Amino acid sequence: MATALDPAANMYGRKPGRSLAVAFAVMVALFAIGPFVTYPVFLMNALCFSLFACAFNLLIGYVGLASFGHALFFGWASYVTAFTAKSWGLSPELAIVAGMAAAAVLGVVVGSLAIRRQGIYFAMITLALSQMMYFFALQAKFTGGEDGIQGVPRGRLFGMFDLSDEMTMYAFVVVVVLAGFLLIYRIINSPFGEVLKAIRENEQRAVSLGYAVDRYKLVAFVLSATLSGLAGSLKALVFQLASLTDVHWTMSGDVLLMTLLGGLGTVFGPVVGAFVVVAMQTYLAPFGQWVLVIQGAVFVICVLAFRRGIVGEIARLLRVAL
Amino acid sequence: MFEIFGIPSQALFGQLLLGLINGSFYALLSLGLAVIFGMLNIINFAHGAQYMMGAFAAYLLLQYLGLNYWGALVIAPLVIGAIGIVIERLFLQHLRKLDPLYGLLLTFGLALVIEGLFRNAYGSSGQPYQVPPALQGGRNLGFMFLPNYRAWVIALSVVVCFATWFAIERTRLGSYLRAATENPVLVRAFGINVPRMVALTYGFGVALAALAGVMAAPIYNVSPQMGSDLIIVVFAVVVIGGMGSIMGAVLTGFALGIVEGLTKVFYPEASNTVIFVLMAIVLLIRPAGLFGRRA
């Protein structure tokens, strides 16, 4: 089914390694000079969403599974990190691990239910389950309901680095996001990743070749959920806040938009998409509900005329892999 | 007045009635989704927004043209259905050869645009809409009080659902429709204008959503976000029922409304989530859905 999902980003790679390495170097350089040009908080926000979108892309871009419920993992990891850091006084690295563990557990549960159906049913199931967990977050005591968990301490990383310092926090976020990015790149280029792409291209054939397709899908789902959780945990520390916004279905829509706009199944697309969407939300905030209208319009345009996304189009024009 | 399982009958039947009302809307909306899915093979994410547009159409027709509820019940679905046909011609027809996922993404974008536009114009707070005079008041059935308007909503939705089922499963037009679902190329070869039929089907599904919106206007407030939360529950209903059968979608809708109503009586904390939990259980036991065929 999913050949249409892969806008052939990798087809033109004459020397795929070189274009990717150059793009990666440019990206790292931009992250390094970023805080001297614009607000670190804006950048950290966009970086968290970059990781979120990359984790999401692992599933939709490389396995062809469209989840409409990824806010579930992002939001619940941020709750768990915020709660353990604030109420239990865990150090930031342990609080993040706790958030990721929660996201992984949720990923196993949601993933094993959702992979029982294909295609658009998969999207509806993940959406419904994430809405269920949204209601739990609304009613549960520890999440603070409408108020969320506020005033989360950033703490000292490994007892050494004081994260309340903005630049230290920024450096930490960059390192974690780059590590997550490289891990995802490693996954999609491993033998495991090749099987995932085979499932995307032709699930029946992958089954007939003897691959336990459901198990591969579940592992990919859990990996994607866990890394989404890492992004959510980071965001909780950056903003010192975990709130209902992060578990709401609109967040799942946002990450979908970022990935689609940047380019489904491209390596750098989700990062570009995340920066564009976060910038849009930040600078259009004074226009209130028009943000919603514009986001919706971008969705429509992407689907009708621009299915490769920004990075996919650039890769096609330059005839390189990105 | 008597008690059942320690619950006053008034409360029990009152919640059952509310459940049936919700079930009427679930049934109408999942019916529309099933009709659209059958013909276009896409999930219409804008269904909730179109339901909201139906309610707003009733409100605006009353506000600016003085058209009452009964007029709106006819005009609103026609207008919104016509908008649906335009949407199909402008956007959806270009997606026919693509992965069905793109239809979901496009209609999701449309839902955001529509909701955003209405929020800009009318804010997030609800607008009240009066119950039509002929249906005000209610009657005492002895074990509970039945408001006339609610009885009307349930009756109308049963009639509409049955009529739709009849039209699709038992008439000549319906047989063309089902044939075109199975093999559009062959049906075109018989001289039937399939693209026009697809557009009309989408318009019809959208009109069903708008009709539900008009019916909902006097019960819930008319607000821009009234559709978006509802549509997610309806998705769960559709997963439980499976979209293979029209009757299945309707029955599942009503049944889940009742289950939700009963949950409100016995364990109110779970009333928001019970349908999702049921969905998870159905996925474990019967992954294709209660009425679904294995795809």
Side-chain angles (χ1 to χ4, degrees), chain A residues 42 80 144 189 202 248:
Chain A
F42 164 78
V80 170
N189 286 295
N202 192 334
H248 196 247

Side-chain angles (χ1 to χ4, degrees), chain A residues 116-117 120-121 290 304 307, chain B residues 37 98 120 243 283-284 287:
Chain A
R116 299 172 76 89
R117 296 291 283 275
I120 45 181
Y121 280 103
W290 285 109
L304 283 178
R307 280 186 288 275
Chain B
F37 179 76
L98 297 177
N120 266 319
M243 278 187 296
L283 281 172
L284 286 174

Side-chain angles (χ1 to χ4, degrees), chain A residues 36-66:
Chain A
F36 304 103
V37 181
T38 180
Y39 305 107
V41 172
F42 164 78
L43 288 175
M44 287 192 279
N45 190 20
L47 280 167
C48 292
F49 279 109
S50 301
L51 179 57
F52 187 19
C54 284
F56 182 75
N57 188 37
L58 173 62
L59 204 55
I60 192 173
Y62 294 96
V63 201
L65 292 174

Side-chain angles (χ1 to χ4, degrees), chain B residues 127-169:
Chain B
Q127 320 280 343
Y129 189 86
Q130 292 298 318
V131 172
L135 293 173
Q136 275 167 7
R139 59 198 70 213
N140 196 339
L141 300 182
F143 55 91
M144 66 173 291
F145 181 78
L146 177 65
N148 287 338
Y149 185 75
R150 312 224 152 173
W152 157 254
V153 165
I154 297 171
L156 181 61
S157 90
V158 169
V159 169
V160 169
C161 288
F162 182 77
T164 307
W165 170 81
F166 188 83
I168 291 178
E169 300 287 337

Side-chain angles (χ1 to χ4, degrees), chain B residues 181-207:
Chain B
T181 309
E182 292 292 326
N183 193 336
V185 179
L186 192 64
V187 173
R188 280 183 94 156
F190 282 119
I192 292 168
N193 189 340
V194 172
R196 189 168 68 194
M197 218 155 72
V198 169
L200 288 175
T201 307
Y202 186 75
F204 176 72
V206 172

